[in-house]
Amino acid sequence: MAGSGLQVLRALPGPGWVRGSGPVVLSRLRDAAMVRPGFLSAAEEETLSRELEPELRRRRYEYDHWDAAIHGFRETEKSRWSEASQTILQRVQAAAFGPDQTLLPSVHVLDLEPQGYIKPHVDSVKFCGATIAGLSLLSPSVMRLVHTQEPALWLELLLEPGSLYILRGSARYDFSHEILRDEQSFFGERRVPRGRRISVICRSLPEGVRPGEPRQLPRTC
């Protein structure tokens, strides 16, 4: 299986934050599933965490998500940010989105408790457009993508605190994606212990949707 460590590790150019079942899937998702480690400085990570903590603390962790995709989570949509955090989010926009893409005005914030996880799911075009970009805070985790029609094709992303991941096109619609629960959290042979994880996710606007139209919360990582 993908997380057993028995498969051959074939990382994309650069350090090994991406591994997959073979050259076919690595080539196919080269521009569709990416990790930029160290995107945030320690000070920037602290800035975001400090701003989010009071709002998240007012919410309880949930265990009965309506579509059963997430276990042990709190989430919110946030549209108003401090100047320092807004500067960080502008860097995310510049790094992940094209000039022709409009972003949803609210940023999705998802807080997983240490034993929380996200089950395999495929994003719906109803909730966001072709690109999502997420900042990972507090704890490392492993995201696994598996092709919906050819499950032998898989990719895993090592998401360390301060990293930015980007999913586009085929990586979102042809592959399921999940955040592995603690007992399954391996990246090859490397154990990646899970703690509390916060993801700060920017999303492009769905096609045919005008800015300002009400949206439901998306099912994403």
Side-chain angles (χ1 to χ4, degrees):
M1 359 173 356
S4 68
L6 299 179
Q7 299 281 354
V8 175
L9 172 62
R10 298 181 176 89
L12 293 173
W17 287 280
V18 180
R19 65 186 295 268
S21 53
V24 171
V25 71
L26 288 172
S27 175
R28 179 170 180 175
L29 297 183
R30 179 175 300 274
D31 298 318
M34 295 175 284
V35 179
R36 290 187 57 176
F39 186 83
L40 297 178
S41 67
E44 288 174 324
E45 187 181 357
E46 173 64 22
T47 292
L48 290 172
S49 299
R50 187 171 57 247
E51 181 166 347
L52 292 170
E53 192 62 36
E55 185 169 350
L56 291 171
R57 197 181 300 154
R58 292 195 294 267
R59 301 172 180 268
R60 294 183 178 181
Y61 285 106
E62 300 180 43
Y63 303 91
D64 55 353
H65 195 271
W66 69 269
D67 63 0
I70 316 178
H71 177 86
F73 73 100
R74 324 186 261 205
E75 65 182 343
T76 187
E77 296 270 287
K78 186 171 173 62
S79 57
R80 302 180 71 176
W81 297 85
S82 68
E83 183 177 347
S85 293
Q86 187 62 44
T87 298
I88 296 169
L89 295 174
Q90 288 170 352
R91 285 208 298 120
V92 172
Q93 181 174 355
F97 298 90
D100 59 335
Q101 289 182 297
T102 302
L103 271 62
L104 285 166
S106 295
V107 175
H108 185 205
V109 179
L110 181 62
D111 178 358
L112 286 180
E113 67 175 5
Q115 297 302 316
Y117 54 89
I118 302 176
K119 297 178 182 179
H121 66 284
V122 178
D123 286 336
S124 170
V125 295
K126 297 178 182 178
F127 299 121
C128 49
T131 303
I132 63 173
L135 295 167
S136 296
L137 310 178
L138 303 185
S139 168
S141 60
V142 178
M143 178 185 289
R144 178 183 296 163
L145 291 80
V146 179
H147 196 280
T148 57
Q149 303 300 317
E150 302 175 76
L153 298 179
W154 56 264
L155 197 75
E156 290 178 345
L157 310 180
L158 176 59
L159 306 178
E160 296 180 328
S163 66
L164 172 71
Y165 73 84
I166 302 168
L167 299 182
R168 298 187 178 107
S170 179
R172 295 189 51 240
Y173 303 128
D174 299 329
F175 289 74
S176 66
H177 56 277
E178 62 183 304
I179 294 294
L180 301 182
R181 63 185 77 194
D182 180 61
E183 58 267 29
Q184 298 174 337
S185 190
F186 285 83
F187 187 72
E189 296 182 354
R190 174 183 170 183
R191 175 81 167 103
V192 183
R194 274 284 318 285
R196 180 185 173 209
R197 172 184 186 262
I198 296 176
S199 50
V200 178
I201 306 162
C202 299
R203 305 146 296 170
S204 61
L205 198 68
E207 289 188 16
V209 175
R210 293 172 296 179
E213 289 186 5
R215 311 300 301 155
Q216 290 179 273
L217 286 173
R219 257 39 62 189
T220 189
C221 298

